[in-house]
Amino acid sequence: MSDSSVSLRPGSTIGILGGGQLGRMLALAGAKLGLKSHIYCPDPQSPAFDVTPFKTVAAYDDEAALRKFAAQVDVVTYEFENVPAATAEILSSLKPLRPGANALAISQDRLAEKGFLASKNIPVAPYRAVHLLEDLKAAVAELGLPAVLKTTRLGYDGKGQRVLRQPGDAEAAFAELKPHPLVLEGFVPFEKEISVVVARGVDGSVRAFDPAENVHRHHILFTSTVPADIAPGIAKHAAMLAKVIVVALDYVGVLGVEFFVLGGERPSLVVNEIAPRVHNSGHWTEAVCLTDQFEQHMRAVAGWPLGDPRRYADVVMQNLIGDEVEVVPGGIDGDTQPHLYGKAEARPGRKMGHINRIVRSE
Amino acid sequence: MSDSSVSLRPGSTIGILGGGQLGRMLALAGAKLGLKSHIYCPDPQSPAFDVTPFKTVAAYDDEAALRKFAAQVDVVTYEFENVPAATAEILSSLKPLRPGANALAISQDRLAEKGFLASKNIPVAPYRAVHLLEDLKAAVAELGLPAVLKTTRLGYDGKGQRVLRQPGDAEAAFAELKPHPLVLEGFVPFEKEISVVVARGVDGSVRAFDPAENVHRHHILFTSTVPADIAPGIAKHAAMLAKVIVVALDYVGVLGVEFFVLGGERPSLVVNEIAPRVHNSGHWTEAVCLTDQFEQHMRAVAGWPLGDPRRYADVVMQNLIGDEVEVVPGGIDGDTQPHLYGKAEARPGRKMGHINRIVRSE
């Protein structure tokens, strides 16, 4: 449905594709707004199923299930960018899909994303499309080494990429990564990674949370610290670029933008990637903002006014990976807000929860 | 079960008696801690049923249903003080009941409550038990008029009470109020009402939120403002009295204490009533505290460490009664955090939600 002005009444139902922790946290935020959430996910053990009685367990390409789901909800959103294009097409023909299908199409393909960003004069790392091994060799010659060869689709948390350090690495990496085409990204000598979570409402209003400074461990986000240790001008510039992106996409909802901060006498920014959803590096907002990223997203997709993203306090968000979740309940007193995702099994590398720690100025 | 040291593992299930907005908000807070909530309520339309798939729809005196419920949960708590004694007895024989049955027995009977408070040297308004009309006439003679005649059980939001202004009012009021005995409360010339929400953990630790100043409208809470406009000494004294109460009850969970602030050169406090549960006058904590009253209660009943009750900002909580709920979504931008309870029908006098408004000092 193309009606971009639909505003839901309290008591309406938001359909959420994906039943992981992001869907779960969206459903919890929706409940506070008096909105019901219907979770659609193929995995019957999805953590989001524990926070709502409204669910569909079905594959994302099950057209009958998708149509039934659409009939039971008032608007559809999602917690992950890899929603199949056919799924998005079916659902958006029946109910408003927010964010729209164009945000999915662009963000689920690295080449499309970089092309979109470059077309809006938003700086990205140098890159080349790689269809054939010959393309890769030419790209290595042009961009130099080291460089990173990546799949264009379905990469996350360091999966689907290989670092090339010598020309001899190219052939094996090209053979290992599937499916083709791939993309080669030139090395960017960045000092740190920051991210901005930005929201745009149905009415076109745009609000950004403060930039977070992100530290990864084993290719998985470890901490997000706010405020980021960056110059005020860089923070403002990051927020401005994030706003340009959501306006250019005619976006509705929350979007995460990851940046590399390049060093040097005049620091500058390049966009690493965008995610058309709530973002792990925005979990800190729950502890220190009147409206957190989950409520902000649900307000936007409901067609409601955006909330206030201002921050009360300095904060560090730390992911709890695998058995790190055992810090709960023993280690959660003091200035600590835990958030667990209700996953039964603490497998290595699995995001089990996070902890927000307040840094008080007193 | 009398084991007061049980600490739940994440993923455990908390059974909640009562499916209204308080049970709903408890379940939402529990989900953030990775705890499941199983709601027990006779009304199939209960708002709390929209935020968990785990539910029992049965009467509170359905022993078979209570036993089945107890078998599916790890600890039992409640959102209302009028849990029947027999219900509490059955459940507490099977699983830890937190807060304990003694808190229910005392708080659901005004005479027992006043007797308990007085026995701990906690000031209460002058009162007399009224079994017969003769008792009432004698009590009026002793306490003077005006005075308030109240049922000892099941009164709330101004229901179950009559103000006596002249001796001739006594007979009709005595005949109208049921069941007997009743209690006559002497007039207390109070300047304002405040309340303290206090928590006690399984480990005996006690934490109090700041006192709220409460304004009622048509006998229903209208606003809670924090900080209350009271002298620092009065705020400290209120917190101290609240702590004395939870220690005396060997209490586990969150408890609300309502006070009258008496004027005069040296202001003083009397306790109006206590509620062994999260409290409407504590809803502001969700907007401005790292740990709100709902999470605090769930931490306590799970046997987990209590969280930090400190406040980031000044705040006013306003209840949305009946069609006042229509302020959402139009009027929720700016420094406003709405919370709706998901009730389908906005009947007059019905609590449909609340709004927290931040008062920024900048």
Side-chain angles (χ1 to χ4, degrees), chain A residues 119-137:
Chain A
S119 77
K120 303 297 171 188
N121 294 314
I122 291 171
V124 294
Y127 70 96
R128 295 291 184 275
V130 173
H131 296 266
L132 305 168
L133 183 57
E134 288 68 47
D135 300 334
L136 179 55
K137 288 177 177 169

Side-chain angles (χ1 to χ4, degrees), chain B residues 168-189:
Chain B
D169 294 341
E171 198 156 343
F174 182 79
E176 279 168 32
L177 292 176
K178 295 267 184 299
H180 297 173
L182 305 170
V183 57
L184 187 73
E185 292 182 13
F187 178 70
V188 177

Side-chain angles (χ1 to χ4, degrees), chain B residues 14-27 37-42 48 60 66 69 73 75-85 87-89 91-92 95-108 246 249-256 274-279 293-294 296-298 300-302:
Chain B
I14 295 186
I16 300 174
L17 296 172
Q21 63 266 22
L22 300 180
R24 176 178 165 113
M25 292 189 274
L26 287 171
S37 288
H38 184 133
I39 304 288
Y40 188 117
C41 192
Y60 292 120
L66 290 169
F69 167 71
V73 305
V75 59
V76 177
T77 189
Y78 41 88
E79 61 145 23
F80 67 116
E81 58 269 43
N82 293 314
V83 174
T87 306
E89 191 182 341
L91 292 173
S92 61
K95 287 289 158 70
L97 178 69
R98 295 174 179 166
N102 66 324
L104 283 172
I106 287 170
S107 62
Q108 65 190 212
V246 288
L249 288 170
D250 193 24
Y251 194 84
V252 174
V254 157
L255 176 131
I274 63 175
R277 53 170 169 79
V278 288
H279 199 258
Q293 68 163 348
F294 305 102
Q296 196 73 303
H297 186 78
M298 295 303 256
V301 302

